Amino acid sequence: MPVTALKEAPQPARLAGAAHPAPAQGSAAVVRLNRPKTPLASRARAAGHWLAVSVLPPLVVAALLLLLWELLCSGPGATLPPPSRIWADSKDLILDPFFVAGPQDIGLGLRVLVSLQRVAVGFGLAAVVGVLVGALIGQSVWAMRGLDPIFQMLRTVPPLAWLPLALAAFRDSNPSAIFVIFITAIWPIIINTAVGIRNIPQDYRNVALVLRLNPIEFFWKIMLPSAAPYIFTGLRIGIGLSWLAIVAAEMLTGGVGIGFFIWDAWNSSRLPDIIVALVYIGVVGFVLDRLVAAVGGFVTRGTSAS
């Protein structure tokens, strides 16, 4: 046989499912590196990405703003205290927000809770009444023609303009503050609910007619689910306005709320305490908005109002 005939024949292609030869001892590390990542590693990587994208940028911006604030307000002619002086003068309000040293000498955390109680009552009443009235306006053409111009006029009245009328009617600061919250938060809830009801698809109304739903069943099974994105948009606006209104109302009505604390600190020339209280107000307002948004996202399954 010629020498050229002794060439090695080509190896046949390995069939799918055929047994693979055992890897050499040195290739074990390669096999381990090619294994899929564990769920724990994937979650850790996702958490690190979320921290880098959502948490780190605001922290960096806040640190730069504090540094700029410190540089601008550390001079002899500065009228506002720098962050270092605020920490030195008001660190007890920051580190211990729930202390009680007397009837009016309590921590900012307790003052915020008192204000939140008033917001909960006023905003809760505004949510219930606003959704019902908004559903009526959105469902009835005659109700919309009669009530919508009046509501559009009343919603432009500033919140504090209602306070003297509330004090004259209730003769007490606490229900007056609750009324101011109610009258401030109800307008965006009414308007957004009415818009959501008017945007219910006609197919849904036809189904309700076929199923012969009574008005209560139609409200719970058709109107509320369909208008939920609009309703929660109004609720988010309303909760922000409620928090703004209670701080302003407490400055005039007194008590132990966070608003009166700011006014009392101004009268005592305690500017660091005022700035700390403003930070508390901002954080609580942000948490309230995120809370309502989370509930709305859960109820509407992430559907947004168009």
Side-chain angles (χ1 to χ4, degrees):
M1 179 180 297
V3 178
T4 57
L6 297 178
K7 290 182 180 179
E8 183 179 359
Q11 296 293 330
R14 184 174 288 109
L15 298 177
H20 293 275
Q25 183 177 1
S27 64
V30 177
V31 174
R32 284 194 297 269
L33 290 176
N34 292 332
R35 289 177 181 174
K37 295 182 179 180
T38 61
L40 181 61
S42 299
R43 287 196 296 267
R45 184 176 181 182
H49 181 266
W50 178 80
L51 290 174
V53 172
S54 302
V55 178
L56 189 59
L59 290 180
V60 172
V61 173
L64 293 176
L65 290 177
L66 289 175
L67 179 60
L68 181 62
W69 183 4
E70 181 73 25
L71 294 176
L72 292 177
C73 297
S74 297
T79 57
L80 294 178
S84 58
R85 180 186 161 191
I86 294 173
W87 172 257
D89 294 347
S90 304
K91 64 180 179 181
D92 55 333
L93 296 175
I94 302 173
L95 299 178
D96 188 11
F98 297 101
F99 71 89
V100 178
Q104 286 291 337
D105 191 8
I106 62 176
L108 285 180
L110 295 176
R111 294 181 183 273
V112 167
L113 291 179
V114 172
S115 299
L116 284 177
Q117 290 177 358
R118 296 169 176 167
V119 169
V121 176
F123 176 73
L125 293 174
V128 174
V129 176
V131 170
L132 294 178
V133 176
L136 175 64
I137 295 176
Q139 189 68 11
S140 173
V141 176
W142 290 105
M144 180 185 66
R145 292 176 181 175
L147 296 176
D148 185 68
I150 298 175
F151 290 164
Q152 293 294 341
M153 179 186 64
L154 293 179
R155 74 182 183 89
T156 60
V157 178
L160 291 183
W162 295 98
L163 188 58
L165 186 63
L167 289 172
F170 297 107
R171 302 288 181 177
D172 190 11
S173 61
N174 191 53
S176 299
I178 293 175
F179 174 78
V180 170
I181 296 170
F182 170 83
I183 205 67
T184 303
I186 194 172
W187 308 123
I189 300 174
I190 290 177
I191 294 172
N192 282 274
T193 302
V195 172
I197 297 300
R198 287 199 295 266
N199 282 276
I200 295 178
Q202 186 60 38
D203 293 342
Y204 292 1
R205 300 180 184 273
N206 296 335
V207 170
L209 292 176
V210 171
L211 297 177
R212 297 181 180 180
L213 299 179
N214 58 48
I216 297 178
E217 292 175 337
F218 179 73
F219 177 78
W220 286 106
K221 296 181 178 181
I222 301 296
M223 294 174 66
L224 282 185
S226 300
Y230 295 88
I231 294 174
F232 276 96
T233 299
L235 291 176
R236 287 187 65 182
I237 299 173
I239 192 64
L241 295 177
S242 299
W243 190 236
L244 294 176
I246 187 58
V247 173
E250 287 176 346
M251 288 184 178
L252 301 179
T253 58
V256 294
I258 188 68
F260 179 73
F261 173 84
I262 294 177
W263 188 249
D264 183 64
W266 165 253
N267 291 330
S268 303
S269 300
R270 302 195 311 269
L271 290 181
D273 292 354
I274 295 177
I275 295 175
V276 173
L278 293 179
V279 174
Y280 271 79
I281 292 172
V283 172
V284 173
F286 175 78
V287 172
L288 290 176
D289 178 78
R290 293 290 92 191
L291 182 61
V292 176
V295 175
F298 174 78
V299 173
T300 62
R301 273 72 173 180
T303 304
S304 59
S306 58

